[in-house]
Amino acid sequence: MVRAEHWDAAYIEHGIDGVSWHEPVPETSLQLIEALGVEPAEPVVDAGGGGSSLADELVARGFADVTVLDLSAAALEAT
Ligand SMILES: C[S@@+](CC[C@H](N)C(=O)[O-])C[C@H]1O[C@@H](n2cnc3c(N)ncnc32)[C@H](O)[C@@H]1O
């Protein structure tokens, strides 16, 4: 199984909010971004973002340039 198929299979089988790593709100990531002093005007790339709500949470906080990069088409389509 190639890597993308592995991740696709997990998201298809469990759904984006049913995978073991899902967090309703990615609090630690948000705290780290705040601690680093990243400003809402700065671009942010969520590498391996999958079905995370991090991008939504950042947009809700005024970030306007947020990109989600992931090799799982299933995750990106569901998100
Ligand atoms: C453990 S999940 C975490 C997803 C998300 N960050 C979250 O917290 O819900 C890892 C994610 O990385 C993605 N991924 C793994 N290898 C990757 C690669 N080489 N390039 C882009 N995405 C990748 C997977 O498809 C999966 O969505």
Side-chain angles (χ1 to χ4, degrees):
M1 184 182 284
V2 298
R3 194 170 302 174
E5 290 174 343
H6 165 78
W7 292 106
D8 276 346
Y11 286 113
I12 290 168
E13 181 175 350
H14 302 289
I16 57 171
D17 56 359
V19 289
S20 62
W21 55 86
H22 177 74
E23 303 173 287
V25 179
E27 297 287 0
T28 301
S29 297
L30 290 166
Q31 288 169 7
L32 288 169
I33 289 167
E34 183 175 352
L36 287 167
V38 182
E39 298 291 338
E42 297 181 63
V44 175
V45 178
D46 185 2
S52 172
S53 63
L54 180 60
D56 297 311
E57 294 291 340
L58 290 173
V59 169
R61 288 163 172 74
F63 285 77
D65 187 353
V66 182
T67 301
V68 179
L69 171 72
D70 202 285
L71 55 67
S72 170
L76 295 176
E77 285 170 12
T79 301

